[in-house]
Amino acid sequence: MRVGIGHDTHRLEEGRPLILGGHRIDHPRGLVGHSDADVVCHAVADALLGAAGLGDIGEHYPDTDPRWKGLDSTRLLAEVVGRLHAGGWRVVNCDVIVHAQEPKLGRHKPAIRANLARLLAVGESEVNIKAKTGEHVGPVGRGEAICCEAVTLIEPAAPAG
Ligand code: MG
């Protein structure tokens, strides 16, 4: 088995869509980025690439590449999972922490979890979503940014031999 860790941060701005784990959340502020700035998909994709020893999303999807402008990050995550599957890996489980002062994410967790399970080709019980506020301190606590951390475990799709 192999383990990978991923982290991402994006800035919040008025009038941008807020998309977390491919789930659109109705909120006056959203995340700024070259793509749709989905911190959850980005952190999970980086965790998977890390577990497989395949680098990071900055190498595969550079923000200088116009092809990724406005990119739906569920497509990016699906593509990363495809790379893992092609390399003979399958995802075992994924644990995610979203750091956001606002909005409250409790009622959005089931939708994010279902999206990630579908994208990672695992059952929903293999995906866990945790949400933390920033306790009103630091960039997260002041509502300037949302961060995400993810840990994933992968294993060979077929047993050796
Ligand atoms: Mg990102």
Side-chain angles (χ1 to χ4, degrees), residues 7-10 32-43 46 57 73 76:
H7 175 90
D8 199 27
T9 301
H10 280 271
V32 181
H34 184 68
S35 67
D36 63 8
D38 185 334
V39 286
V40 175
C41 284
H42 293 180
D46 256 350
I57 55 173
S73 296
L76 178 151

Side-chain angles (χ1 to χ4, degrees), residues 43-155:
V44 172
D46 256 350
L48 291 171
L49 289 170
L54 292 173
D56 64 42
I57 55 173
E59 294 168 23
H60 297 285
Y61 309 94
D63 62 8
T64 49
D65 189 332
R67 274 184 302 166
W68 313 123
K69 189 167 168 53
L71 173 75
D72 172 352
S73 296
T74 61
R75 276 185 48 210
L76 178 151
L77 181 53
E79 212 177 286
V80 166
V81 172
R83 280 175 201 258
L84 260 71
H85 288 168
W89 298 102
R90 71 175 197 91
V91 179
V92 177
N93 78 307
C94 176
D95 193 14
V96 171
I97 309 174
V98 185
H99 301 266
Q101 189 64 43
E102 279 186 341
K104 288 275 172 277
L105 296 177
R107 68 189 175 91
H108 300 289
K109 284 183 194 172
I112 297 171
R113 184 185 204 183
N115 280 353
L116 289 183
R118 178 174 46 80
L119 288 160
L120 302 180
V122 298
E124 289 189 21
S125 58
E126 276 73 59
V127 176
N128 192 69
I129 311 292
K130 302 195 281 286
K132 299 276 187 195
T133 72
E135 292 290 332
H136 299 285
V137 295
V140 169
R142 289 190 298 266
E144 295 166 4
I146 290 180
C147 302
C148 182
E149 279 142 13
V151 171
T152 61
L153 198 68
I154 63 171
E155 68 177 6

